[in-house]
């Protein structure tokens, strides 16, 4: 069945899904949607994702929006390599780390919100830094808690295997750098980022690989 991903090279939500598709070895056609030119709001694209967001996944002519829904679908249809830990508690932790980014951080700093709230780039950046810092504080505390109290060891968020937690953390750190967030308080998150970015799928899905010519 043919698989296409509607995405934008620099979108953190798109990167999460590109990463999973590549990690799971799913052959995919990547279709760019230029957010800066407003292509996400054109009626043709909104028929694909009514929220006017990337990413959207097309599978055999059917369309699915929302990165978490897409990633859960990919995990169920392509269970190996797994992106959720086997242990039920750690699966819960993975979903908690995912939602800190997906519900608690990124929606507050997406283009739609920034353009609605502020007209100046400086104000947009200051707001983004505030909400990203709040999210990263929670991520760092949770990553440290699972290490100190729950026996998690290994280079990635939840152990020796890459998981959805990493696929949300690393693109959020990429956003943080775009908005010049001070990252010195997040040594655990930064060490995980280094390990995750060194993985073949981390490299192959990176925004730089999808940057338009
Ligand atoms: N909850 C959505 C968020 C998607 C989202 O915010 N996408 C951003 C790019 S990272 C977007 O398309 N923004 C366009 C806009 O705000 O106009 C998901 O996880 O798929």
């Amino acid at each position: 069945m043919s698989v296409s991903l509607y995405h934008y090279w620099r979108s953190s939500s798109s990167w999460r899904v590109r990463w999973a598709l590549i990690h799971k070895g799913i052959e995919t056609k990547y279709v760019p949607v230029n957010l800066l030119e407003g292509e996400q709001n054109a009626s043709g694209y909104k028929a694909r994702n009514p929220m006017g967001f990337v990413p959207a996944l097309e599978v055999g002519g059917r369309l699915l929006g929302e990165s978490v829904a897409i990633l859960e679908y990919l995990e169920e249809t392509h269970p190996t390599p797994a992106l959720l830990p086997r242990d039920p508690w750690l699966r819960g932790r993975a979903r908690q780390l995912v939602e800190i980014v997906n519900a608690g951080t990124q929606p507050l700093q997406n283009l739609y919100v920034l353009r609605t709230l502020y007209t100046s780039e400086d104000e947009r950046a200051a707001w983004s830094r505030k909400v990203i810092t709040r999210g990263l504080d929670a991520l760092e505390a949770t990553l440290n808690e699972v290490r100190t109290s729950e026996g998690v060891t290994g280079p990635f968020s939840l152990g020796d295997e890459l998981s959805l937690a990493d696929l949300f953390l690393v693109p959020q750190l990429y956003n943080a750098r775009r908005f010049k967030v001070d990252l010195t308080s997040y040594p655990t998150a930064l060490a995980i980022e280094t390990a995750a970015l060194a993985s073949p799928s981390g490299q192959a899905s990176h925004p730089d690989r999808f940057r338009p010519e």
Side-chain angles (χ1 to χ4, degrees):
M1 204 154 7
S2 70
V3 176
S4 301
L5 183 73
Y6 292 85
H7 76 131
Y8 180 59
W9 68 281
R10 213 164 54 163
S11 140
S12 61
S13 309
S14 300
W15 186 3
R16 303 164 188 163
V17 177
R18 283 199 307 264
W19 199 333
L21 287 163
I22 292 170
H23 192 66
K24 288 177 179 290
I26 301 169
E27 195 182 328
T28 304
K29 181 181 166 198
Y30 292 92
V31 184
V33 177
N34 190 328
L35 299 188
L36 296 184
E37 289 179 8
E39 288 177 5
Q40 71 276 30
N41 297 314
S43 57
Y45 183 73
K46 276 198 152 176
R48 298 192 167 95
N49 184 348
M51 280 298 280
F53 284 148
V54 288
L57 187 77
E58 186 167 348
V59 182
R62 295 187 299 180
L63 278 139
L64 194 59
E66 292 296 330
S67 63
V68 172
I70 295 169
L71 291 164
E72 293 275 0
Y73 167 80
L74 294 176
E75 191 67 3
E76 286 168 17
T77 53
H78 298 77
T80 50
L83 280 169
L84 280 170
R86 279 222 200 111
D87 175 76
W89 179 258
L90 290 184
R91 289 169 91 86
R93 283 299 202 188
R95 291 184 166 115
Q96 178 188 3
L97 291 161
V98 162
E99 290 305 336
I100 289 172
V101 176
N102 182 60
T105 310
Q106 186 274 340
L108 298 171
Q109 49 99 132
N110 72 17
L111 197 56
Y112 176 81
V113 167
L114 295 183
R115 284 181 171 168
T116 304
L117 290 183
Y118 301 109
T119 47
S120 94
E121 284 305 325
D122 284 351
E123 283 178 312
R124 288 175 183 170
W127 168 255
S128 300
R129 277 195 291 276
K130 185 182 168 91
V131 296
I132 292 172
T133 299
R134 182 167 177 259
L136 288 177
D137 285 351
L139 288 169
E140 182 78 6
T142 308
L143 292 166
N144 285 335
E145 173 69 13
V146 298
R147 278 159 179 71
T148 53
S149 308
E150 296 172 15
V152 167
T153 57
F156 302 119
S157 293
L158 295 171
D160 290 322
E161 307 293 338
L162 207 61
S163 74
L164 291 184
D166 306 300
L167 274 53
F168 281 70
L169 172 70
V170 174
Q172 189 58 56
L173 285 167
Y174 177 83
N175 278 352
R177 287 198 182 83
R178 281 181 61 201
F179 291 112
K180 300 192 169 31
V181 173
D182 178 359
L183 297 178
T184 49
S185 308
Y186 311 115
T188 305
L190 291 176
I192 292 166
E193 179 192 38
T194 302
L197 279 177
S199 68
S201 55
Q203 302 253 310
S205 60
H206 193 280
D208 290 349
R209 297 282 182 97
F210 290 85
R211 186 196 294 260
E213 298 292 304

